[in-house]
Amino acid sequence: DSWVTGYIGYYLTQIVNKFGLELDGVLSNACDWLLKNQRLELGWGYNNNCDVDCDSTSYVILFLNQAKRAPHIETYSKVFSFQSEDGGFSTYYNSKVYKKWGISHPDVTPVAIKSLLTRIDISDSRITNALQYIVNAQSKFGFWNSYWWSSNLYSTMVNLELLTENKISFEKQNCIKYLESLPVPNSPLDQSFLLRCFVSLDEKDRAGNLKIRLMNSQRSDGSWNSFPALRVTNNEIENPWESANPGTLHKDQNRLFTTVSVLYSLSLI
């Protein structure tokens, strides 16, 4: 499916380039498949049963650029079409059908910005408005909430990476204090997200400890165990982190998403 292929391809390409691995044919085939399956609306959806969405389209843009297969310029217009008045990006269009899936999401906005920055200058007013949205979205405790994930680690990670890579000011000390207070997650996926947070914050010792833990938990087949983490949030709910029953959780059954996430995090230190 497009979202998973875009995500895995984006991070796997970076791993391959860093370590000189021979996976060019596999990655090229993935790019070909994505380009062949691009919708008439010049975007991509989570899968063939879903409409075009901002997150899937953004990850595919990132992958194609990383693989030097830049998408059509109109694809960037498609991403901008999901931008809300508050500067953030929604997953789907704001409509009666999608309800709260059509408002700005703190875990989608940074990925949209990152994809746009592959072609659009950071000084563009639409980008600066989006950056202000994510700065404002940081909680007083230092983390960012996740609309589509069971924990806030994914959202905190993607926001931290975008802000630190572009030297945008945010409440760094609150974030460090919060992350250091967390117990180590049971899930290798969340451990990889936390490791990346610590790398972004230059907390090398804590990142190193997580690296050792992850290396020791690798399965004999080379993968890592997956746990239910991705949430299909009830589209009536605006702030799922405040709800006792916000939606159903789903597991990475083939462990591909989890394994690439872990491998990429390990490649950073």
Side-chain angles (χ1 to χ4, degrees), residues 5-215:
T5 303
Y7 179 97
I8 290 176
Y10 174 54
Y11 289 113
L12 189 57
T13 301
Q14 294 176 77
I15 297 168
V16 166
N17 291 343
K18 183 170 185 176
F19 296 103
L21 304 176
E22 295 295 332
L23 285 178
D24 290 349
V26 173
L27 294 170
S28 179
N29 289 342
C31 289
D32 291 343
W33 182 85
L34 286 166
L35 291 168
K36 181 180 178 181
N37 286 277
Q38 186 175 17
R39 308 287 180 84
L40 293 176
E41 308 98 301
L42 294 176
W44 288 268
Y46 179 77
N47 59 36
N48 288 335
N49 298 319
C50 298
D51 288 338
V52 168
D53 71 81
C54 184
D55 203 45
S56 299
T57 302
S58 297
Y59 269 120
V60 172
I61 288 174
L62 287 167
F63 173 30
L64 292 175
N65 274 280
Q66 195 71 41
K68 304 189 186 311
R69 301 278 296 274
H72 194 279
I73 189 171
E74 289 302 318
T75 307
Y76 293 83
S77 299
K78 173 57 65 174
V79 175
F80 273 126
S81 71
F82 291 99
Q83 189 166 26
S84 305
E85 290 184 3
D86 61 8
F89 287 78
S90 61
T91 307
Y92 290 96
Y93 288 131
N94 190 347
S95 69
K96 292 181 180 179
V97 174
Y98 288 115
K99 302 178 182 178
K100 302 306 181 183
W101 290 4
I103 63 173
S104 294
H105 296 145
D107 42 355
V108 172
T109 299
V111 181
I113 297 172
K114 195 165 188 174
S115 74
L116 292 168
L117 288 176
T118 62
R119 188 151 191 165
I120 310 297
D121 192 87
I122 196 170
S123 63
D124 186 292
S125 62
R126 296 166 295 181
I127 300 293
T128 57
N129 288 342
L131 288 168
Q132 190 58 56
Y133 166 84
I134 66 172
V135 169
N136 293 342
Q138 185 179 16
S139 76
K140 64 181 180 179
F141 301 107
F143 59 82
W144 281 262
N145 287 302
S146 294
Y147 190 85
W148 296 106
W149 297 85
S150 60
S151 85
N152 56 40
L153 286 173
Y154 172 85
S155 187
T156 299
M157 172 196 74
V158 289
N159 279 287
L160 274 179
E161 290 181 342
L162 178 70
L163 293 172
T164 55
E165 287 168 7
N166 292 283
K167 298 179 172 56
I168 307 295
S169 297
F170 63 98
E171 293 294 336
K172 181 177 179 179
Q173 292 307 313
N174 284 353
C175 190
I176 292 174
K177 184 177 180 181
Y178 169 75
L179 292 171
E180 289 181 342
S181 73
L182 295 177
V184 177
N186 291 325
S187 161
L189 182 64
D190 278 344
Q191 289 175 28
S192 76
F193 294 160
L194 182 57
L195 189 159
R196 286 169 60 179
C197 288
F198 284 135
V199 168
S200 292
L201 295 166
D202 202 29
E203 294 286 309
K204 296 178 181 177
D205 288 345
R206 292 185 180 274
N209 290 337
L210 284 165
K211 178 178 182 177
I212 293 170
R213 182 183 288 264
L214 283 166
M215 291 177 68

